[in-house]
Amino acid sequence: MAYLEIRQASVHYPVRSTWGTTGEVVRAVDNVSLTVEKGRILGLVGESGCGKSTLSRAIMQLQPLTSGSIILNGTNLSELSTAEVRRRRLDFQMIFQDPYASLNPRFSIFSTLVEALSRRTPLPRKEREQAVAELMNRVGLSPEHMYKYPHEFSGGQRQRIAIARAIAPGPALLLADEPVSALDVSIQSQILNLLTDLTRELKLTMIFISHDLSVVHYIADDIAVMRRGQIVEYGPAEDVFTTPQHEYTRTLLSAAPRLTD
Ligand code: ADP
């Protein structure tokens, strides 16, 4: 069943000059249609500026569509009230490129994760340590470090903390925007493996955004290639990788080094 359906979605930004808008638009997302099946990982790949972030912000309801619709689990999100969108936002969580920027440096990991675990229902005080320990174990962190602060962890560990925070409210959809681009290559496959394992164990659906086709190939079940606001190629990851139909995908492939496990 399609968990997420994007129907003819467009986001146009007005072009501004010194004297105001020019009447022209940037077609950041241009008539995109995509479906993501429940439990699968969709890799969205394309060069910087092709519209990936705009599309992901639109899916997260952080950016209104100029036209088209986004259907999540059978519900058209544009028809929901603001209060309903806020409630449903817990169902989709994001992981960003730079966990250091997205983690509050003044909060210990314990505080950050208690807050994330309490978003649907407050976690009773006496259950907090146990719940945080379980969550840390789940993402491969040792619970003995729960009272430490973000700067005391390595880049890879910080991304594990950000992943723990994202899965804490029990989301259905994870949107990972370049989650390994800032990490050492030696750490990248560990984080990719963690994301794959969690998607399977927790029966999540994931959209994985990257400019790097080799990273996307490593993790995705399906791949959509985006160029200048449009999806130019879409299919099972193996097919896109081994027999790309579009010239642009071939160009991306020839530029991509292979990630090995
Ligand atoms: P990507 O994530 O693939 O790098 P973006 O979605 O950030 O691409 O950008 C797509 C296009 O839209 C680019 O041409 C960018 O300059 C433009 N753009 C992005 N955000 C805005 C904005 N808030 N206002 C105007 N133009 C924007």
Side-chain angles (χ1 to χ4, degrees):
M1 194 190 72
Y3 178 68
L4 175 72
E5 203 181 332
I6 301 168
R7 286 192 199 149
Q8 298 177 308
S10 294
V11 177
H12 297 172
Y13 295 115
V15 176
R16 290 176 208 284
S17 73
T18 327
W19 299 280
T21 54
T22 60
E24 290 169 47
V25 292
V26 177
R27 295 170 190 274
V29 174
D30 191 9
N31 201 23
V32 165
S33 295
L34 272 179
T35 53
V36 191
E37 304 293 318
K38 190 164 171 40
R40 288 179 79 83
I41 302 177
L42 173 75
L44 182 63
V45 68
E47 287 170 303
S48 171
C50 73
K52 304 182 297 295
S53 302
T54 302
L55 181 60
S56 65
R57 284 204 305 274
I59 295 167
M60 304 299 291
Q61 301 295 293
L62 301 171
Q63 166 70 50
L65 292 177
T66 308
S67 60
S69 47
I70 293 174
I71 320 285
L72 194 76
N73 218 0
T75 306
N76 187 339
L77 293 181
S78 58
E79 288 166 5
L80 296 180
S81 68
T82 317
E84 280 172 305
V85 168
R86 201 173 304 131
R87 200 160 353 102
R88 294 207 50 154
R89 205 167 268 153
L90 289 175
D91 290 341
F92 28 93
Q93 294 291 320
M94 284 196 86
I95 298 161
F96 298 96
Q97 174 171 350
D98 181 1
Y100 202 53
S102 65
L103 293 171
N104 191 326
R106 289 176 296 124
F107 288 161
S108 69
I109 303 319
F110 175 78
S111 307
T112 295
L113 296 184
V114 166
E115 190 273 330
L117 284 163
S118 302
R119 275 196 226 142
R120 278 184 213 266
T121 37
L123 197 58
R125 194 166 287 275
K126 60 181 186 320
E127 292 173 24
R128 289 179 181 175
E129 238 173 38
Q130 175 74 20
V132 168
E134 279 169 21
L135 189 55
M136 289 181 77
N137 277 325
R138 177 148 239 174
V139 299
L141 289 170
S142 173
E144 70 194 59
H145 303 307
M146 69 170 75
Y147 292 108
K148 290 189 175 170
Y149 289 80
H151 73 269
E152 298 178 82
F153 293 87
S154 68
Q157 288 168 332
R158 280 202 286 266
Q159 198 55 294
R160 288 177 193 271
I161 297 164
I163 292 168
R165 187 183 52 180
I167 63 169
L173 178 77
L174 273 188
L175 210 151
D177 192 352
E178 304 271 7
V180 300
S181 306
L183 302 177
D184 282 357
V185 174
S186 59
I187 311 288
Q188 289 187 358
S189 52
Q190 292 175 17
I191 298 294
L192 295 174
N193 291 342
L194 173 65
L195 285 171
T196 313
D197 292 347
L198 289 172
T199 304
R200 308 288 180 237
E201 277 168 33
L202 304 174
K203 299 187 172 41
L204 304 174
T205 304
M206 179 156 69
I207 299 180
F208 184 97
I209 296 174
S210 178
H211 67 284
D212 186 339
L213 191 52
S214 72
V215 168
V216 167
H217 176 236
Y218 189 90
I219 191 168
D221 300 308
D222 302 292
I223 294 180
V225 180
M226 195 168 184
R227 186 189 192 204
R228 295 188 188 147
Q230 299 183 326
I231 303 298
V232 295
E233 178 142 8
Y234 172 48
E238 249 350 275
D239 296 358
V240 171
F241 206 73
T242 52
T243 49
Q245 300 301 305
H246 198 283
E247 185 56 41
Y248 180 67
T249 312
R250 287 195 277 272
T251 313
L252 283 182
L253 270 173
S254 61
R258 273 162 201 267
L259 254 196
T260 47
D261 9 3

